[in-house]
Amino acid sequence: PKLCTVRLSRKLLPNVGSFSLGSVCERLGISNAARHRAMGDAFATAQLFHHLWSLPHGAATIEDALKKGTRESWLPQHVPASDFDALPKGPGVYRMLDVRGLPLYIGMSHQVQTRIRSHFTGKLSSARRQALLRDVHRIVAEPTGSTLYARILEDVLIRTHWPVHNRAQKHQPMLHLVLPYRDRQGYDRLMLKRARSPRGSLAHFGGVVEARDWLYGLAKAHDLDPALLGLGASEDSPHHPPHEHNQRLQDGLKAALEPAFPPHAFCIVQGRHAEEAGVLYVREGRFAGLGWLEGGLHPTTDLERLLDAVTDAARSGLTDALLKEAFLNPEAVGERLVWRCFSEEGLSEERA
């Protein structure tokens, strides 16, 4: 357990203005000839503690603060307990704000209150944790009702504000790209290349093993020479003339890439309450925006209403990957999704 003069002063001396040690001591007439020095501040803190103890309700307030597990015993000193009480218990995105109201850290969780507590409890004493304990003045959160929506919104907010303590999204991971080219003999070939952007690639993967497995599967399914796909050759590899090989490769790529992701679609998830839906918008095969719409998981079949519900948002490789995974493997998301694909003629398909 710990005692914090800021928290105690906020409760017992609500009208002093600033709750810093120097300001409170000055208002109470407690002298400190060596401010910001260890002995001077320790002596002033002891005098302030005795003054707070002597106030009406002072002893009871201090005894409550010493109880193990109370919010005041682990929350950052400047954060009011009411902030923690207001946090959603379910999925959402949270922001830790500095004294100016700017985000120091943005995160998400399927259980926001539990996640916030984990930031400040336990034995871990990292530099980031110490900085958050010192600098965070408010904690606010937005419930989402959907973990997928929370993951997307978290990435959007991080790329909008770039908080100082969010490091992961500041460094784009290296991808393994599948790139096409034609050699001098007229063979269409594939090669692997590492890059941070998937621009211009036929497909991209997070790891080289995943990329090579995909190429081996393509070669096996369509009787292609692995050496022409950037893989090692073997004695029993098939050998086809250029025109036949190129046609096989074209057919194989069409079959492998065609079902990957709809070019234009809405992913509809549970909203913040039972009668609301979260809408995630895909345009030209990439995440393009998000928003809320009344009507639950089946809010409307009106394309214009769906478009009006979303607001354009920053996108990244992470948001695209999350939505592609949700489309190709919805069971892994762990929540109910409704996909509505559309074209120039309007909504064309519903996939639950």
Side-chain angles (χ1 to χ4, degrees), residues 149 152-153 156 279-281 287-292 309-314:
Y149 195 103
I152 299 287
L153 181 59
V156 168
V279 182
L280 302 167
Y281 178 35
F287 169 70
L290 73 175
W292 305 104
V310 299
T311 301
D312 289 347

Side-chain angles (χ1 to χ4, degrees), residues 185-203:
Q185 284 74 44
Y187 283 96
D188 289 338
R189 305 179 65 142
L190 301 179
M191 62 178 287
L192 287 177
K193 179 181 178 182
R194 296 182 73 227
R196 297 193 185 278
S197 170
R199 190 181 302 276
S201 66
L202 295 173

Side-chain angles (χ1 to χ4, degrees), residues 15-237:
N15 299 317
V16 300
S18 172
F19 296 103
S20 67
L21 178 63
S23 297
V24 174
C25 287
E26 185 176 344
R27 291 291 298 271
L28 297 177
I30 298 173
S31 62
N32 184 356
R35 292 183 64 180
H36 305 302
R37 303 298 295 263
M39 185 56 72
D41 284 351
F43 186 70
T45 300
Q47 288 184 291
L48 174 58
F49 175 78
H50 284 293
H51 177 82
L52 295 174
W53 181 275
S54 67
L55 293 174
H57 310 295
T61 300
I62 291 172
E63 288 174 1
D64 286 342
L66 287 172
K67 290 179 180 177
K68 188 175 181 180
T70 60
R71 290 158 302 187
E72 287 83 356
S73 69
W74 55 264
L75 273 172
Q77 61 179 346
H78 302 293
V79 176
S82 58
D83 277 10
F84 181 78
D85 293 337
L87 296 174
K89 295 181 179 179
V93 176
Y94 58 88
R95 286 177 263 193
M96 300 184 188
L97 309 178
D98 65 13
V99 66
R100 299 167 296 173
L102 300 176
L104 290 169
Y105 182 80
I106 294 173
M108 64 74 54
S109 176
H110 68 287
Q111 294 177 315
V112 173
Q113 275 197 358
T114 301
R115 178 64 181 126
I116 290 295
R117 187 182 181 107
S118 73
H119 276 291
F120 303 113
T121 56
K123 298 181 180 179
L124 185 65
S125 57
S126 65
R128 183 176 76 175
R129 177 179 170 182
Q130 296 305 314
L132 292 175
L133 283 168
R134 181 186 65 244
D135 299 332
V136 172
H137 282 248
R138 294 291 311 278
I139 300 176
V140 298
E142 178 180 351
T144 59
S146 159
T147 300
L148 176 61
Y149 195 103
R151 291 185 185 280
I152 299 287
L153 181 59
E154 176 199 33
D155 191 73
V156 168
L157 291 175
I158 288 173
R159 295 180 187 281
T160 300
H161 298 285
W162 292 114
V164 64
H165 291 296
N166 285 98
R167 298 189 182 97
Q169 278 91 337
K170 294 181 181 179
H171 304 284
Q172 282 288 98
M174 294 297 289
L175 301 172
H176 296 267
L177 313 185
V178 178
L179 300 173
Y181 71 99
R182 176 167 290 189
D183 66 17
R184 293 182 179 180
Q185 284 74 44
Y187 283 96
D188 289 338
R189 305 179 65 142
L190 301 179
M191 62 178 287
L192 287 177
K193 179 181 178 182
R194 296 182 73 227
R196 297 193 185 278
S197 170
R199 190 181 302 276
S201 66
L202 295 173
H204 60 275
F205 304 89
V208 65
V209 174
E210 184 185 5
R212 290 175 66 86
D213 285 347
W214 186 83
L215 290 170
Y216 274 120
L218 182 66
K220 184 177 180 179
H222 297 275
D223 195 33
L224 296 166
D225 185 350
L228 296 176
L229 305 188
L231 305 169
S234 62
E235 293 182 359
D236 58 348
S237 295

Side-chain angles (χ1 to χ4, degrees), residues 303-335:
L303 177 58
E304 290 302 319
R305 282 197 63 204
L306 287 167
L307 289 170
D308 289 342
V310 299
T311 301
D312 289 347
R315 64 190 181 191
S316 68
L318 176 60
T319 54
D320 293 343
L322 288 170
L323 285 170
K324 286 181 180 178
E325 177 67 15
F327 182 79
L328 297 173
N329 190 17
E331 294 81 9
V333 178
E335 60 185 90

